[in-house]
Amino acid sequence: MGSRFDGQTVVVTGAASGIGAVIARHFADAGANLVVSDIEEGRLGAVADEIAASGARRPVVKAGDLSREDVAGSVIKSAVDNFGALDILVNNAGGGIIKPFLDHTPDTLRTTIDRNLWTALWCTWHAVKVMKARGYGRIVNIGADSVRNGLWDHAAYNAAKGGVHAMATGLAREFARDGITVNVVAPCIVETPQVKQITLKAPKALQRFVDVVPMGRPAEMDEVASMVCYLASKEASFVTGQVISVNGGSTML
Ligand SMILES: NC(=O)c1ccc[n+]([C@@H]2O[C@H](COP(=O)([O-])OP(=O)(O)OC[C@H]3O[C@@H](n4cnc5c(N)ncnc54)[C@H](O)[C@@H]3O)[C@@H](O)[C@H]2O)c1
């Protein structure tokens, strides 16, 4: 167990599966006081159990729909109630409904924005108040490299993730003198269990999303989590308002 985040309180959203579960594990292994949140209560509890079984402190579990303002507020409050402060917020909750724009329904369009943008916006709105009062905070959003390269079938998703990217730049400027940094980690396709499953069933289904990656493979979840941890650390004190791609070179600069 490391000590990089010893004594620091971290909220990770969307922690019940995929990249969020791995990010939570990285923070737990590095000594953080952790609050994990997700709409999937059962799976979220299982992630907390796994973390505890590995020898780290069991995270506080707060399940709910984070696209609701009251739920997001209660998650941030639980960090303060349990640990006395909030140092780091990782807005990871999200996920794409990836399809051609005209195949979307009003429901899938609304869900795309709810999942990816409202979750991040409400959590951030509540977190910044707490961070500003203390003069310290790190906010890391999971965005998407598809915002930069306009990947096929990603228009609706990019509308949501583009909002997440844009929110970070505005906040970074607004709170730059309050000790708060706000950044985005933008992955290309990531080899999550879900992506692995799709690839097993239909080996060619996601190939065009891999073909745009010069390194010729999806990102690993640990590669995304490592960048999140760097931006969330005290070392990243002069990095704010940035979108950092973890993408094997699929966009450059
Ligand atoms: N997998 C990829 O290739 C990829 C690429 C770029 C960006 N991303 C982004 O990375 C993040 C993690 O994605 P993942 O691939 O691990 O997907 P995932 O579906 O495994 O994880 C997303 C989690 O967010 C939760 N969530 C969704 N809506 C929520 C809500 N309203 N309230 C609370 N929780 C909610 C889900 O239940 C899920 O557990 C997402 O923001 C996704 O958009 C993923």
Side-chain angles (χ1 to χ4, degrees), residues 14-20 37-40 43 64-67 91-96 114-116 119 142-145 157 161 187-190 192 194-195:
S17 64
I19 299 165
S37 185
D38 202 288
I39 200 167
E40 295 287 343
R43 282 196 281 124
D65 181 353
L66 293 165
S67 69
N91 285 311
N92 165 82
D114 282 350
R115 265 192 206 167
N116 290 283
T119 54
I142 305 301
D145 202 47
Y157 181 61
K161 288 299 195 190
C188 63
I189 185 168
V190 183
T192 60
Q194 212 180 347
V195 163

Side-chain angles (χ1 to χ4, degrees), residues 25-247:
R25 211 161 297 132
H26 275 237
F27 279 112
D29 287 349
N33 304 321
L34 198 55
V35 177
V36 291
S37 185
D38 202 288
I39 200 167
E40 295 287 343
E41 189 165 9
R43 282 196 281 124
L44 187 63
V47 167
D49 290 343
E50 276 168 33
I51 287 174
S54 76
R57 200 175 313 120
R58 191 177 198 280
V60 171
V61 171
K62 285 288 288 181
D65 181 353
L66 293 165
S67 69
R68 286 180 39 183
E69 183 271 324
D70 58 331
V71 175
S74 78
V75 171
I76 301 304
K77 185 172 180 302
S78 84
V80 177
D81 289 350
N82 279 282
F83 302 115
L86 173 64
D87 299 284
I88 298 161
L89 168 64
V90 181
N91 285 311
N92 165 82
I97 302 175
I98 305 303
K99 51 168 79 184
F101 191 58
L102 295 179
D103 290 354
H104 274 280
T105 64
D107 251 15
T108 60
L109 287 173
R110 191 173 297 279
T111 301
T112 301
I113 304 293
D114 282 350
R115 265 192 206 167
N116 290 283
L117 184 53
W118 278 114
T119 54
L121 201 145
W122 286 133
C123 289
T124 301
W125 189 64
H126 283 283
V128 163
K129 294 175 195 174
V130 175
M131 291 172 171
K132 185 173 179 340
R134 240 175 104 234
Y136 184 84
R138 298 271 186 268
I139 298 175
V140 184
N141 300 331
I142 305 301
D145 202 47
S146 58
V147 173
R148 294 180 143 164
N149 64 9
L151 214 52
W152 301 270
D153 299 341
H154 278 62
Y157 181 61
N158 286 351
K161 288 299 195 190
V164 169
H165 290 202
M167 177 173 73
T169 59
L171 290 173
R173 183 176 298 280
E174 197 171 334
F175 297 102
R177 298 190 184 201
D178 292 301
I180 301 172
T181 66
V182 189
N183 291 290
V184 179
V185 174
C188 63
I189 185 168
V190 183
E191 193 158 62
T192 60
Q194 212 180 347
V195 163
K196 269 189 197 159
Q197 226 178 14
I198 296 170
T199 310
L200 272 178
K201 277 193 199 147
K204 294 266 156 66
L206 301 175
Q207 193 53 42
R208 59 187 174 160
F209 303 142
V210 179
D211 286 342
V212 298
V213 182
M215 288 191 184
R217 64 168 177 85
E220 289 170 15
M221 293 189 285
D222 282 321
E223 291 171 326
V224 178
S226 299
M227 181 57 77
V228 170
C229 287
Y230 169 68
L231 292 170
S233 72
K234 291 193 169 159
E235 301 152 67
S237 46
F238 208 54
V239 182
T240 196
Q242 304 303 308
V243 177
I244 313 284
S245 288
V246 175
N247 67 3

